[in-house]
């Protein structure tokens, strides 16, 4: 599971972020995807406001894990909306800084592809979902 990657990637002290990551692992092992999704959102908020952990790789893992939870809950439109948001944010950052990598956007694309396929939209090359996937 992605939370294991997150746990092994994050070099953290015992703190609130570490507690959230531990709870996520427990919830995922019990297949409580909705609760795990809420904790991923909390961890992402904490990551953005805290000095405890700062890493694009950690953020990409959190985003990927959130997308995985949405898929497991059957929330395919949420996956596509989330990926579109990441693409928009990535485009905005790239315009402001030429050195920014597209790590977050690239890690989200497989989830968009799966959601598009599961929604039956894969063959529609003119759909906004297909265009967003092809863009990367």
């Amino acid at each position: 599971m992605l939370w294991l990657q997150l746990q092994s990637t994050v070099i953290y002290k015992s703190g609130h972020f570490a507690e959230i990551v531990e709870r996520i692992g427990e919830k995922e092992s019990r297949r409580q995807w909705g609760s795990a999704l809420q904790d991923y959102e909390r961890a992402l908020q904490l990551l953005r406001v805290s000095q405890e952990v700062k890493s694009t790789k950690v953020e990409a893992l959190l985003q990927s894990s959130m997308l995985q939870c949405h898929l497991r809950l059957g929330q395919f439109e949420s996956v596509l909306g989330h990926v579109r948001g990441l693409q928009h944010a990535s485009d905005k950052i790239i315009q402001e800084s030429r050195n920014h990598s597209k790590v977050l956007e690239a890690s989200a694309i497989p989830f968009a592809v799966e959601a598009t396929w599961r929604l039956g939209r894969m063959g529609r090359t003119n759909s906004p979902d297909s265009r967003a996937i092809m863009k990367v």
Side-chain angles (χ1 to χ4, degrees), residues 83-99:
V83 171
R84 279 188 215 110
L86 289 173
Q87 288 176 324
H88 179 71
S90 180
D91 290 345
K92 187 176 179 182
I93 291 169
I94 288 169
Q95 288 172 1
E96 293 169 3
S97 169
R98 295 286 175 207
N99 297 328

Side-chain angles (χ1 to χ4, degrees), residues 52-105:
E52 189 176 349
V53 181
K54 290 287 183 195
S55 169
T56 302
K57 186 174 182 178
V58 172
E59 185 172 353
L61 282 169
L62 286 171
Q63 296 286 0
S64 296
S65 298
M66 289 174 64
L67 291 167
Q68 186 69 263
C69 285
H70 281 296
L71 284 175
R72 288 186 172 138
L73 290 166
Q75 299 172 344
F76 309 126
E77 293 289 347
S78 294
V79 171
L80 296 175
H82 196 108
V83 171
R84 279 188 215 110
L86 289 173
Q87 288 176 324
H88 179 71
S90 180
D91 290 345
K92 187 176 179 182
I93 291 169
I94 288 169
Q95 288 172 1
E96 293 169 3
S97 169
R98 295 286 175 207
N99 297 328
H100 179 71
S101 71
K102 294 181 116 181
V103 173
L104 292 176
E105 185 180 332

